[in-house]
Amino acid sequence: MNENFLDFVDYCYSFYGSEDALYPMGVSKEQIAYATLMYLDACAYYEKHNNENWKGPALVPMTWGDGDSLDRERVRDIMRQRYSIPQAV
C-alpha cells in the first residue's frame, strides 16, 4: 500500500510511464500526478456526499484504497480518458 502521494505517483509511473513499464502509456509523472488529484477529488466528493446513488467512472463508489492496485487502475482510466490514450495500451 502507498500512503505517500509521491510514492503513489512513482508506483503508477513504474507501470505506465517508465521505459521498462509493464503497461507503457508514455505518460509523465506530472500527468500521473494530475490524474491522481482528479481521482482523489472524486473520492473526496463521494465521501463528503456519502451518496450511494453517486457512482464514479467505473460505476462503483470512488474510495481511496491506500494506493493499492485498484487506485492505480482508476488513475490509469482517468489518464486514458483525459489524454486520449487507446484502450489497447
Side-chain angles (χ1 to χ4, degrees):
M1 303 283 183
N2 294 287
E3 297 177 359
N4 180 292
F5 181 80
L6 295 177
D7 288 343
F8 182 73
V9 170
D10 288 340
Y11 170 61
C12 290
Y13 186 76
S14 71
F15 275 82
Y16 308 122
S18 68
E19 290 179 17
D20 59 342
L22 190 55
Y23 307 107
M25 294 172 56
V27 293
S28 68
K29 287 186 179 184
E30 291 81 8
Q31 290 172 310
I32 294 168
Y34 183 69
T36 301
L37 290 174
M38 291 176 68
Y39 175 58
L40 291 172
D41 188 50
C43 292
Y45 178 87
Y46 181 80
E47 182 178 332
K48 179 179 179 183
H49 293 280
N50 196 19
N51 180 352
E52 294 181 12
N53 295 321
W54 184 84
K55 305 289 184 188
L59 301 177
V60 296
M62 301 298 279
T63 56
W64 176 248
D66 293 326
D68 63 10
S69 59
L70 182 58
D71 294 325
R72 174 181 49 80
E73 291 167 356
R74 288 179 174 167
V75 167
R76 175 204 61 206
D77 293 344
I78 291 170
M79 289 189 296
R80 280 185 176 151
Q81 182 179 23
R82 178 78 180 159
Y83 305 118
S84 300
I85 298 170
Q87 188 74 12
V89 176

